[in-house]
């Protein structure tokens, strides 16, 4: 069953704003929530970065919607045993409506303790071991783990949900999609790429859920909407492995000047046209993605939620 969810951006909004958006999303008819997990925003203009686990605790008190982290890196900045602890508590708080979305991370967030930034292959090996360890801990037994990357001694998580926390794996290339298919309970990606969805399914993903996130900039004035989207999120137009290797928000800000507004407009619907908003999400559904999560970039939350409730979501039923 297709789900249209709302994407809570911890890079752009503070805790109170995120909680307000979650309540509005539920009232407007969105089916679920995605929430990003960052130590830094991508650039200083975005300007926020609350600790996701604190926000999730607050979300559990104000919404009945399912919540997925999109995505948590459980390998470098935070040890997977601690992520296992946090995810188990989140699942209890949300009465089982929690999915742990994980990925191999970005230097932007993971370099902050001075750790070396590994190659893609090593990061994926670390991720696989981290997921194995999280699943062991979620059984609720005392475990000791002596792995290639992680050591755990006589650890037990006492506050566990009734059912294991599903772990969805992010991947933005064929290698990542195949890893997700092999070890994930689901798959997370950012673009409507049917080839990656198929790679996930062929590698063992089968009929498991596929989630994706996207952004729009709703405003009554399309030019204003595009200016805001370009100022805040032009980093998404940077090529190659830029997003994985740059260490500081100011590095992204400097390179963002090379991204023209037209590039942003190609992937972000800007303005009030409901048909264009719906068409953007249909690209994802047509690529075989089961759940699409949309973030409103612009400041007019009243206009966005009203328009999506009345004019956009009904087109996507």
């Amino acid at each position: 069953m297709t789900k249209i969810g709302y994407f809570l951006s911890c890079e752009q909004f503070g805790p109170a704003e995120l909680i307000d958006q979650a309540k509005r999303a539920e009232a407007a008819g969105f089916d679920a929530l995605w929430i990003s997990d960052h130590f830094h925003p991508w650039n200083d203009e975005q300007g926020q970065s609350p600790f996701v686990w604190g926000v999730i605790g607050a979300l559990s008190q104000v919404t009945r919607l399912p919540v997925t982290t999109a995505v948590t890196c459980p390998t470098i900045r935070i040890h997977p045993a601690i992520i296992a602890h946090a995810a188990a508590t989140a699942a209890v708080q949300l009465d089982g409506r929690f999915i742990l979305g994980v990925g191999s991370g970005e230097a932007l967030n993971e370099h902050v303790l001075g750790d070396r930034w590994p190659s893609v292959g090593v990061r994926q090996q670390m991720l696989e071991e981290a997921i194995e360890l999280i699943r062991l801990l979620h059984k609720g037994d005392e475990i000791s783990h002596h792995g290639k990357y992680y050591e755990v001694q006589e650890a037990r998580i006492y506050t566990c949900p009734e059912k294991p926390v599903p772990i969805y794996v992010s991947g933005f290339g064929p290698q990542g999609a195949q890893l997700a298919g092999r070890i994930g309970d689901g798959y997370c990606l950012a673009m409507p790429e049917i080839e990656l969805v198929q790679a996930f399914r062929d590698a063992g993903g089968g009929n498991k859920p596929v989630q994706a996130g996207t952004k729009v900039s709703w405003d009554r004035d399309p030019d204003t909407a595009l200016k805001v989207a370009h100022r805040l999120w032009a980093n998404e137009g940077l090529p190659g492995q830029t997003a994985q290797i740059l260490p500081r928000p100011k590095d992204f800000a400097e390179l963002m000047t090379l991204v023209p507004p037209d590039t942003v407009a190609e992937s972000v619907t800007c303005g009030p046209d409901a048909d264009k908003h719906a068409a953007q999400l249909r690209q994802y559904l047509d690529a075989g993605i089961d759940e699409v999560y949309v973030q409103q970039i612009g400041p007019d939350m009243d206009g966005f939620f009203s328009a999506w409730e009345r004019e956009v979501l009904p087109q996507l039923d």
Side-chain angles (χ1 to χ4, degrees):
M1 177 182 172
T2 297
K3 288 184 180 179
I4 306 298
Y6 187 76
F7 188 171
L8 298 168
S9 171
C10 284
E11 303 97 310
Q12 189 181 337
F13 300 102
E17 294 170 296
L18 294 168
I19 298 306
D20 179 64
Q21 289 174 29
K23 292 190 289 187
R24 288 177 179 234
E26 184 170 15
F30 286 91
D31 298 312
L33 299 169
W34 250 24
I35 185 165
S36 54
D37 180 357
H38 271 243
F39 189 90
H40 290 144
W42 294 101
N43 56 74
D44 287 343
E45 286 290 327
Q46 290 173 359
Q48 293 288 340
S49 201
F51 190 53
V52 71
W53 301 105
V55 179
I56 289 171
L59 288 173
S60 73
Q61 303 303 299
V62 300
T63 180
R64 297 294 299 174
L65 295 181
V67 177
T68 302
T69 53
V71 291
T72 290
C73 179
T75 58
I76 297 177
R77 172 173 46 102
I78 303 181
H79 192 283
I82 307 305
I83 295 296
H85 192 188
T89 298
V92 170
Q93 289 175 310
L94 286 156
D95 295 326
R97 304 184 314 279
F98 178 71
I99 294 167
L100 177 62
V102 298
S104 59
E106 300 95 15
L108 174 73
N109 301 304
E110 304 308 315
H111 83 287
V112 296
L113 301 182
D115 297 274
R116 181 180 67 86
W117 184 237
S119 67
V120 174
V122 171
R123 297 203 307 268
Q124 291 186 339
Q125 290 176 11
M126 296 174 74
L127 181 62
E128 185 167 358
E129 185 180 332
I131 291 171
E132 175 189 353
L133 179 53
I134 291 167
R135 286 180 170 145
L136 282 172
L137 284 164
H138 280 177
K139 292 180 178 180
D141 302 322
E142 181 182 298
I143 72 156
S144 293
H145 172 88
H146 312 286
K148 182 176 181 179
Y149 298 105
Y150 303 107
E151 179 86 11
V152 171
Q153 294 186 12
E154 300 160 349
R156 177 184 174 188
I157 294 176
Y158 281 81
T159 301
C160 286
E162 293 182 2
K163 297 180 180 179
V165 178
I167 300 177
Y168 290 11
V169 179
S170 171
F172 300 130
Q175 190 176 355
Q178 291 165 8
L179 178 67
R182 184 163 58 82
I183 67 174
D185 298 312
Y187 177 38
C188 303
L189 72 166
M191 297 299 291
E193 298 186 43
I194 192 169
E195 295 84 3
L196 294 182
V197 175
Q198 195 59 51
F200 163 75
R201 300 207 183 283
D202 290 345
N207 293 321
K208 293 176 182 177
V210 177
Q211 300 180 334
T214 191
K215 295 176 174 63
V216 302
S217 185
W218 194 98
D219 194 279
R220 300 187 191 282
D221 177 45
D223 291 335
T224 298
L226 179 55
K227 288 177 182 177
V228 171
H230 182 259
R231 177 173 61 84
L232 293 173
W233 286 98
N235 58 281
E236 294 204 335
L238 295 173
Q241 295 189 29
T242 309
Q244 281 73 52
I245 62 175
L246 293 180
R248 302 175 301 174
K250 65 178 66 176
D251 297 323
F252 283 92
E254 290 174 1
L255 286 184
M256 281 167 56
T257 61
L258 303 177
V259 179
D262 288 350
T263 298
V264 175
E266 289 174 4
S267 60
V268 177
T269 297
C270 296
D273 190 323
D275 293 341
K276 290 182 179 179
H277 283 263
Q280 180 173 320
L281 266 68
R282 282 199 196 94
Q283 295 178 37
Y284 290 79
L285 303 178
D286 291 345
I289 293 164
D290 305 297
E291 305 175 19
V292 187
Y293 294 80
V294 59
Q295 177 201 332
Q296 157 68 342
I297 294 173
D300 189 351
M301 291 294 166
D302 291 338
F304 168 84
F305 282 113
S306 176
W308 271 70
E309 179 178 11
R310 291 183 291 104
E311 303 171 15
V312 182
L313 289 177
Q315 296 189 44
L316 300 168
D317 286 341

